[in-house]
């Protein structure tokens, strides 16, 4: 029995905890996932009770949990840095590539005492920040300063840090895309600010219209809200679109004119699957427009969890902070110092993803084969799932240009909506629960990301391995047909 009942005499109750925590929600690990985890436990001893033999988690961008293999070079360097005694063993030269050994020595030389178990500088190890800055420079063609890099445990702590900096009361607002990754709504709620929504246009492939930004900004200001920043996710989560460079220029101009910080979530920058789209960082776009440090404030977030690396559990990432005065930068550094430093394995990985093997290196050919294999497979899976979803009755689905998700719109029959209301749940959550119980497939309802009122969606990752995709398509197709037949008018 839990101690959360009103009969409890314990000092902490729902009435006494911080109300901001109660307001905070995080749908990708919400109620449906909890049900899935209970089913998974029960399947171990009670297999015959269910019409499926496994739970397939399509709810979260967690590639290695679904069978994606880590990149060999990254793991070799990590192993050698973590267990330095291996570098003195002659057998190591037969087991590890020569460039992974060389890279491990180079990294260890940049760490005081070669101690990867020690705290580092609060912004991260300087030599690793140098490597990241060089990688950004190579990617964008514009200078990057290692002093602008703050290493973080994945991108999420960086987002929290910036929300902490920008939000002082509920009168401070952040413009956020709807649909959005719930890290943003959760973080704004936890820090006591106001989420100012701007709706992406589903009809134009989840386009970001400047007219919509202006409308929402003016509406927020009319309510006395000071809008501090614009959060933009590119490639999009949950929507999978890749912004056109021209659109990005318009966004940069808008933020410059309105005095907004750009919070650019660019963790899916390697995940672009269509030949007519290309990733451009917001910093590159701003610099190519002639806007420098004194013209626009921009924070970009990167993570080792996504891309083709998928190292979610290693918790590595960084934010590049530009366009802030030195006294404000000192405050950001102070907040980073409170956490001491991000974990060293994550820091090493963050440097590796921005400086992978180069042509001529011992690992280069195997590295490229692994990287291309993962990305081309993801593109194939995205296309297969997209085409399957489009064939379902009452379902429309924009193409997955990038990221790791499809976000189809589902036109649910009135009877299904009424049944959901009777069950006191959102209609898309009702659909996802029924799907889970019938097939073992875990999706996240669109109501967890935000959507235009009166529309219903779900987010489905493209991450299950290729050999699992046909089974997912079959189960989903059969379930959807029976669901629509059951609730048809």
């Amino acid at each position: 029995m839990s101690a959360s009942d009103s009969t409890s005499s314990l000092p902490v109750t729902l009435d006494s905890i911080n109300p901001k925590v109660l307001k905070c929600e995080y749908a990708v690990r919400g109620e449906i996932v909890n049900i899935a985890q209970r089913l998974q436990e029960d399947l171990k001893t009670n297999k015959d009770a269910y019409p499926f033999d496994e739970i397939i988690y399509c709810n979260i961008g967690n590639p290695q949990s679904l069978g994606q293999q880590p990149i060999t070079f990254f793991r070799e360097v990590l192993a050698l840095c973590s267990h330095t005694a291996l570098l003195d063993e002659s057998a190591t030269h037969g087991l590890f590539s020569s460039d992974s050994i060389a890279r491990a020595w180079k990294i260890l030389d940049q760490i005081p005492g070669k101690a990867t178990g020690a705290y580092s500088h609060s912004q991260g190890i300087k030599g690793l920040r140098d490597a990241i800055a060089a990688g950004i420079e190579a990617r964008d063609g514009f200078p990057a300063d290692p002093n602008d890099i703050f290493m973080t445990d994945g991108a999420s702590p960086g987002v929290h840090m910036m929300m902490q900096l920008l939000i002082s009361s509920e009168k401070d607002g952040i413009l956020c895309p709807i649909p959005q990754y719930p890290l943003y709504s959760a973080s704004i709620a936890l820090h006591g600010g106001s989420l100012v929504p701007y709706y992406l246009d589903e009809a134009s492939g989840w386009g970001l219209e400047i007219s919509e930004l202006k409308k929402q900004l003016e509406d927020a200001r009319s309510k006395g809200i000071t809008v501090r920043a614009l959060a933009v996710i590119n490639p999009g989560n949950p929507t999978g679109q890749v912004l056109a460079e021209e659109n990005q220029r318009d966004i940069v101009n808008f933020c410059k004119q309105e005095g907004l910080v750009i919070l650019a979530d660019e963790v899916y920058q390697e995940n672009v699957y269509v030949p007519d789209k290309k990733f451009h960082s917001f910093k590159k776009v701003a610099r190519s427009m002639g806007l420098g440090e004194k013209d626009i404030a921009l924070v970009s977030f990167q993570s080792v969890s996504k891309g083709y690396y998928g190292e979610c559990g290693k918790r590595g990432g960084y934010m590049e902070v530009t366009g802030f005065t030195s006294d404000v930068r000192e405050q950001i550094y102070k907040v980073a110092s409170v956490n001491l430093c991000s974990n060293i394995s994550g820091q090493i990985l963050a440097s590796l993803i921005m400086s992978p093997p180069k042509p001529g290196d011992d690992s280069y050919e195997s590295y490229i084969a692994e990287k291309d294999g993962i990305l081309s497979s993801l593109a194939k899976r995205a296309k297969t799932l997209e085409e399957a979803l489009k064939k379902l009755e009452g379902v429309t689905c924009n193409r997955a240009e990038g990221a790791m998700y499809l976000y189809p719109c589902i036109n649910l029959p009135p009877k299904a909506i009424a049944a959901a209301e009777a069950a006191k749940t959102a209609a898309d959550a009702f659909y996802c629960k029924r799907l889970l119980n019938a097939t073992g497939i875990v999706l996240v309802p669109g109501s967890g990301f935000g959507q235009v009122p009166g529309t219903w969606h779900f987010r489905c990752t493209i991450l299950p391995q290729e050999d699992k995709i046909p089974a997912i398509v079959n189960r989903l197709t059969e379930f959807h047909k029976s669901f629509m037949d059951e609730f048809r008018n």
Side-chain angles (χ1 to χ4, degrees), residues 282-320:
F282 268 94
K283 183 175 162 226
K284 175 188 172 182
V285 170
R287 297 292 179 265
S288 66
M289 293 165 67
L291 300 176
E293 280 276 348
K294 292 189 165 58
D295 304 306
I296 192 147
L298 168 62
V299 184
S300 54
F301 304 97
Q302 170 63 314
S303 168
V304 306
S305 303
K306 309 304 178 187
Y308 55 90
Y309 9 93
E311 294 279 13
C312 301
K314 299 297 183 193
R315 309 310 299 132
Y318 66 82
M319 59 179 183
E320 185 186 16

Side-chain angles (χ1 to χ4, degrees), residues 109-121:
D109 285 342
Q110 293 161 344
I111 302 172
K114 298 182 171 45
T116 56
Y119 292 133
S120 76
H121 184 283

Side-chain angles (χ1 to χ4, degrees), residues 103 106-107 110 125-139 144-147 149 151 318 347-356 358:
R103 185 71 68 93
K106 185 180 178 184
I107 289 169
Q110 293 161 344
I125 294 159
K126 172 66 167 60
L128 302 184
R129 287 186 282 123
D130 288 340
I132 289 169
I136 293 170
E137 209 163 297
R139 181 195 68 195
D145 184 345
N147 294 320
I149 308 294
M151 309 286 261
Y318 66 82
Q347 289 190 34
I348 291 169
L349 269 171
S351 79
L352 294 174
I353 70 167
M354 296 306 285
S355 58
K358 293 179 173 54

Side-chain angles (χ1 to χ4, degrees), residues 219-238:
D219 183 50
R221 285 175 175 166
S222 73
K223 294 171 183 164
I225 293 170
T226 303
V227 179
R228 308 298 308 279
L230 168 81
V232 59
I233 308 171
N234 179 47
N237 176 8

Side-chain angles (χ1 to χ4, degrees), residues 16-37:
S16 70
I17 66 168
N18 184 342
K20 292 171 192 165
V21 174
L22 290 175
K23 202 176 163 193
C24 160
E25 289 182 6
Y26 191 67
V28 295
R29 295 207 175 186
E31 180 199 9
I32 287 166
V33 181
N34 292 338
I35 298 168
Q37 286 165 342

Side-chain angles (χ1 to χ4, degrees), residues 159 181 183-184 232-235 263-268 299-301:
V159 171
Y181 174 49
L183 163 66
Y184 290 91
V232 59
I233 308 171
N234 179 47
L263 301 175
D265 182 332
E266 298 177 334
V267 302
Y268 296 101
V299 184
S300 54
F301 304 97

